[in-house]
Amino acid sequence: MAKLVSKTYGEALYEVCLESGQDKALALMEEIKCIQGLLRENPQFDELMKHPGIPKQDKLQAADAVFKGRVSDELTGLLEVVISKERYKELPAIFAYFIDKVKEQQKIGVAYVTTSVELTLAQKIQVEAKLLGTSGYRKMEMNYNVDASIIGGMIIRINDRVVDTSIRTKLNGLTKQLLQIQLG
């Protein structure tokens, strides 16, 4: 259900942006990132908006006081609709859907790279260049993680695609093969 809600509202916001032009979607994405940061820094506001005992009208007034005139009309309108329909708790998923949609439209990929040791800057640049050359994206947002348990190699995840060349995975595969051999 939550996925349907985030898709419905996120898609509606995206369609409104398309009517205003490509640049509007990028500007709105940056605004959303600012709002996400603001909500992370002020958890009390988030708790207030999620509290079931506070009337919708008070929540709408609070959102107007904080956001009206400071963010675009599209975002203010979205917040008003989400609050009035009591879907505020879905706001992070709505924002995530919208951001993913804009990144997809702009051909911006998000890659998660896990290695057993920290990569040097030159290695990171090389990995990013290889991903740009093979993925069809124009730009990559790179996220690096170190996990010594993979022993060596790397694991790369872009959306739902995973390339796992880690030694841990290869050893697990060999173990399964050896266990399947019947001694006879």
Side-chain angles (χ1 to χ4, degrees):
M1 179 73 174
K3 215 168 194 151
L4 179 63
V5 170
S6 64
K7 182 178 180 187
T8 302
Y9 287 95
E11 194 69 40
L13 183 60
Y14 183 73
E15 292 297 324
V16 167
C17 285
L18 286 184
E19 292 172 7
S20 302
Q22 304 266 345
D23 294 337
K24 184 65 176 179
L26 287 172
L28 210 53
M29 182 173 75
E30 293 306 315
E31 268 189 80
I32 286 172
K33 288 180 180 179
C34 290
I35 289 173
Q36 288 172 323
L38 180 83
L39 293 176
R40 267 192 307 277
E41 292 169 9
N42 298 291
Q44 302 87 357
F45 180 79
D46 204 38
E47 290 171 18
L48 171 89
M49 300 306 281
K50 290 178 182 175
H51 196 283
I54 298 174
K56 274 192 268 187
Q57 196 57 37
D58 292 347
K59 292 178 183 180
L60 285 167
Q61 288 174 348
D64 274 353
V66 172
F67 295 111
K68 196 145 192 128
R70 293 183 179 94
V71 297
S72 66
D73 292 341
E74 293 87 357
L75 275 180
T76 305
L78 173 73
L79 289 168
E80 289 172 358
V81 170
V82 166
I83 292 167
S84 65
K85 298 285 186 184
E86 296 183 0
R87 300 285 192 192
Y88 180 83
K89 66 179 186 250
E90 304 296 335
L91 198 59
I94 294 168
F95 284 165
Y97 180 89
F98 177 81
I99 289 171
D100 288 346
K101 190 87 172 162
V102 172
K103 285 180 181 179
E104 177 185 310
Q105 181 254 339
Q106 293 290 319
K107 295 200 180 290
I108 300 171
V110 180
Y112 297 88
V113 179
T114 303
T115 56
S116 61
V117 295
E118 184 73 32
L119 295 178
T120 66
L121 181 60
Q123 290 170 324
K124 288 179 179 180
I125 291 170
Q126 189 177 12
V127 168
E128 183 176 359
K130 183 72 172 175
L131 291 177
L132 284 170
T134 58
S135 66
Y137 290 111
R138 291 189 299 217
K139 183 180 175 188
M140 293 297 288
E141 288 182 6
M142 303 297 292
N143 299 286
Y144 294 97
N145 183 32
V146 176
D147 181 0
S149 73
I150 70 169
I151 305 169
M154 67 176 57
I155 302 169
I156 301 172
R157 182 174 62 85
I158 300 174
N159 296 327
D160 59 351
R161 292 180 50 206
V162 177
V163 176
D164 188 345
T165 61
S166 67
I167 293 175
R168 176 182 64 193
T169 299
K170 290 179 182 179
L171 287 173
N172 288 341
L174 284 172
T175 302
K176 286 179 185 176
Q177 287 177 352
L178 288 173
L179 290 173
Q180 290 177 354
I181 296 175
Q182 293 181 351
L183 298 175

